[in-house]
């Protein structure tokens, strides 16, 4: 909650220092300003040129006060084809949690946006008769974050389930068989399920369902749009990675959706909506490769949205939008931001990426010696 200042202490600064990192981040600080280093917090007066300091490079989007528009009203619930008792119970449950009417400036709306975006990717909303359930699939640590947010909006998620699954997939290129440990959890609140349904979340199998982005998304603030996009990208967008044959260039991040052939137009409309949202952040993207793939119940079409791999475009994308509910992708994106900033600064100062048999050369690659960085991101 916003509060006013009660007490504070101030004193004149004898000196103000301007600091700049190799990656181009700048800050003004006094000599007693603490910085995080590998040896803990150190005041600026104990740092020297060339010392390493920790940076969180994600910038995000500037905050704007949300409007007061209604996203879901009581009248929307009255239009549901349910019994009067069911509609009454849904209204009662949502009102008790401060979610009805749901407005853009509701303090719980940001959590709903993040959950909405994730379920668009790695979740599903289903109804069995009148009972609503929302399923979430992902890594255990990421699912724990979602569970925390569901509790914040007033609902109780299930525990996280674990099971080993075997998969057999036939694609345009080849057939694949593999097994993996699947983690998931669910919410069984019909009121929450109906709320997301009215917000525009597709019900059932998304491959077989027509859906587009909800109309209200065009009116909310940019930072709110970013929450939904980042959660969708955390679930479905590819991770940052280098091109093996050109280790100083990144692959284009790709968002793929699969639709039945007769719903191809619906898939294109959805991805074009995502592309339009990215334009608002001044991020270039395009739709690529409409391709048929065989499935047990007939052919499907795979449609992809590709974010431009131009360095400045990727820098804006990972700095302003990034990933939510996916710690590993967020970590790699933050490393990629530092890498791109160093690369662009190097080129700006007249540096040349010259080629030799073993690849391209750039002094002190950011990945060198970093623990836990995948080989695809090590550059050399």
């Amino acid at each position: 909650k916003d509060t006013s200042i009660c007490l504070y202490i101030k004193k004149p600064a004898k000196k103000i220092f301007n600091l700049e990192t190799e990656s181009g981040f700048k800050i003004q600080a006094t000599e007693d300003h603490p910085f995080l280093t590998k040896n803990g917090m150190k005041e600026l007066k104990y740092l020297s040129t060339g010392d390493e300091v920790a940076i969180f490079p994600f910038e995000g989007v500037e905050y704007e006060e949300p409007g007061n528009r209604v996203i879901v009203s009581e009248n929307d619930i009255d239009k549901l084809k349910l019994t009067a008792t069911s509609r009454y119970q849904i209204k009662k449950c949502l009102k008790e949690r401060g979610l009805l009417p749901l407005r853009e400036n509701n303090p719980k709306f940001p959590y709903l946006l993040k959950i909405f975006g994730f379920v668009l990717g790695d979740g599903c909303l289903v109804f069995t008769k009148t009972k609503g359930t929302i399923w979430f699939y992902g890594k255990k640590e990421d699912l724990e974050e979602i569970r925390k947010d569901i509790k914040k909006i007033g609902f109780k998620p299930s525990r996280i389930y674990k099971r080993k699954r075997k998969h057999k997939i036939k694609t345009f290129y080849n057939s694949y068989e593999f097994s993996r440990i699947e983690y998931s959890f669910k919410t069984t609140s019909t009121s929450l399920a109906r709320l997301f349904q009215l917000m525009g979340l597709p019900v059932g199998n998304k491959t077989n369902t027509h859906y587009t982005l909800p109309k209200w998304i065009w009116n909310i603030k940019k930072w709110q749009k970013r929450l939904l996009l980042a959660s969708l990208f955390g679930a479905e967008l590819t991770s940052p990675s280098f091109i093996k044959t050109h280790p100083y260039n990144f692959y284009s991040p790709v968002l793929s959706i699969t639709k039945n052939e007769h719903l191809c137009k619906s898939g294109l409309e959805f991805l074009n909506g995502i592309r339009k949202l990215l334009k608002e952040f001044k991020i270039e993207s395009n739709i690529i490769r409409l391709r048929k793939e065989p499935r047990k119940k007939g052919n499907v079409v795979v449609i992809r949205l590709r974010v431009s791999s131009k360095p400045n475009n990727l820098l804006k994308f990972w700095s302003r939008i990034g990933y939510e509910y996916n710690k590993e992708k967020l970590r790699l994106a933050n490393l990629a931001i530092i890498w791109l900033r160093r690369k662009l600064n190097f080129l700006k100062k007249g540096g040349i990426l010259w080629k030799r048999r073993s690849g391209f050369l750039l002094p002190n690659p950011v990945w060198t010696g970093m623990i836990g960085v995948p080989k695809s991101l090590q550059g050399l």
Side-chain angles (χ1 to χ4, degrees):
K1 295 181 179 179
D2 291 330
T3 63
S4 59
I5 297 172
C6 298
L7 296 170
Y8 71 97
I9 299 173
K10 70 175 182 178
K11 63 179 180 178
K14 295 179 181 179
K15 292 181 181 179
I16 298 291
F17 296 88
N18 291 311
L19 285 80
E20 183 175 358
T21 67
E22 281 187 346
S23 49
F25 288 97
K26 299 177 181 180
I27 187 173
Q28 287 187 328
T30 56
E31 62 181 1
D32 60 348
H33 187 110
F35 289 84
L36 179 60
T37 72
K38 290 182 177 179
N39 296 317
M41 302 299 292
K42 282 189 178 182
E43 293 181 1
L44 173 57
K45 60 187 176 185
Y46 299 119
L47 294 177
S48 304
T49 301
D51 286 352
E52 292 182 331
V53 295
I55 294 174
F56 186 70
F58 179 75
E59 297 174 10
V61 181
E62 187 176 351
Y63 176 80
E64 296 178 85
E65 193 67 32
N68 196 39
R69 294 186 187 89
V70 174
I71 306 297
V72 177
S73 66
E74 288 191 52
N75 188 46
D76 293 324
I77 295 174
D78 289 332
K79 293 177 182 178
L80 293 173
K81 295 180 180 180
L82 301 171
T83 64
T85 302
S86 295
R87 291 195 296 268
Y88 169 78
Q89 290 174 340
I90 291 170
K91 289 180 186 179
K92 183 175 181 293
C93 178
L94 295 177
K95 283 181 179 179
E96 288 174 350
R97 289 160 177 79
L99 294 170
L100 193 67
L102 179 63
R103 299 179 183 273
E104 294 174 16
N105 58 1
N106 189 307
K108 295 181 179 180
F109 188 49
Y111 300 112
L112 293 170
L113 287 171
K114 290 171 66 179
I115 296 167
F116 187 103
F118 186 88
V119 178
L120 268 180
D122 276 347
C124 63
L125 167 63
V126 294
F127 288 97
T128 306
K129 295 184 178 180
T130 58
K131 182 69 175 176
T133 304
I134 307 174
W135 280 96
F136 302 81
Y137 302 89
K139 293 182 179 179
K140 187 176 181 179
E141 62 175 356
D142 299 324
L143 293 180
E144 288 289 4
E145 292 300 312
I146 304 173
R147 291 179 76 251
K148 289 178 185 177
D149 285 351
I150 289 173
K151 290 176 182 177
K152 288 175 184 176
I153 59 176
F155 294 91
K156 186 179 179 181
S158 73
R159 64 178 176 85
I160 293 179
Y161 304 107
K162 174 184 175 181
R163 64 172 176 170
K164 187 174 182 179
R165 298 197 65 182
K166 294 183 178 180
H167 299 271
K168 186 175 182 181
I169 300 174
K170 186 177 181 182
T171 70
F172 178 80
Y173 301 104
N174 208 338
S175 295
Y176 303 92
E177 290 187 40
F178 59 94
S179 61
R180 61 186 290 267
I181 301 296
E182 178 187 270
Y183 293 96
S184 63
F185 78 91
K186 63 182 178 180
T187 63
T188 54
S189 169
T190 300
S191 299
L192 182 61
R194 291 296 180 185
L195 179 64
F196 276 116
Q197 179 190 13
L198 293 172
M199 287 176 66
L201 196 62
V203 177
N205 187 326
K206 292 189 283 289
T207 300
N208 305 328
T209 305
H210 167 77
Y211 64 91
T212 58
L213 290 173
K215 293 180 180 179
W216 51 260
I217 199 172
W218 307 109
N219 298 318
I220 60 177
K221 299 301 180 183
K222 190 179 288 187
W223 66 267
Q224 294 175 312
K225 295 174 183 177
R226 183 252 150 200
L227 288 175
L228 190 150
L229 286 173
S231 297
L232 172 62
F233 295 156
E236 288 295 319
L237 195 76
T238 54
S239 301
S241 61
F242 275 113
I243 300 173
K244 292 180 180 179
T245 54
H246 299 279
Y248 285 93
N249 297 306
F250 282 94
Y251 281 109
S252 296
V254 175
L255 175 67
S256 301
I257 63 170
T258 304
K259 305 293 286 187
N260 279 343
E261 285 188 84
H262 69 283
L263 292 173
C264 180
K265 186 177 179 181
S266 169
L268 284 169
E269 188 177 347
F270 175 78
L271 287 184
N272 275 313
I274 300 294
R275 189 183 179 197
K276 185 178 177 181
L277 286 175
L278 290 175
K279 281 184 179 179
E280 294 185 24
F281 294 84
K282 298 182 179 179
I283 294 168
E284 299 175 23
S285 63
N286 63 302
I287 309 296
I288 59 168
R289 299 184 73 177
L290 277 70
R291 187 185 72 231
K292 290 183 181 180
E293 288 191 356
R295 291 289 191 273
K296 288 182 179 180
K297 297 181 180 180
N299 291 335
V300 296
V301 178
V302 178
I303 315 168
R304 292 181 170 89
L305 178 143
R306 180 179 62 188
V307 178
S308 170
S309 61
K310 295 177 183 176
N312 279 311
N313 193 66
L314 289 178
L315 191 56
K316 285 186 288 186
F317 177 71
W318 286 321
S319 296
R320 297 178 184 176
I321 298 179
Y323 304 94
E324 291 284 346
Y325 292 148
N326 195 310
K327 292 182 179 180
E328 179 62 11
K329 288 182 182 179
L330 175 61
R331 184 179 74 90
L332 295 176
N334 283 333
L335 288 170
I337 293 168
I338 298 292
W339 167 256
L340 286 169
R341 291 180 69 111
R342 289 185 65 182
K343 175 183 176 179
L344 292 172
N345 283 345
F346 176 76
L347 295 174
K348 188 177 180 180
K349 293 175 182 177
I352 299 173
L353 297 177
W354 55 279
K355 192 174 183 180
R356 67 176 185 181
R357 289 182 182 179
S358 60
F360 293 87
L361 292 183
L362 175 65
N364 302 321
V366 71
W367 312 112
T368 301
M370 297 195 73
I371 298 173
V373 178
K375 290 183 179 179
S376 61
L377 286 179
Q378 288 177 4
L380 289 179

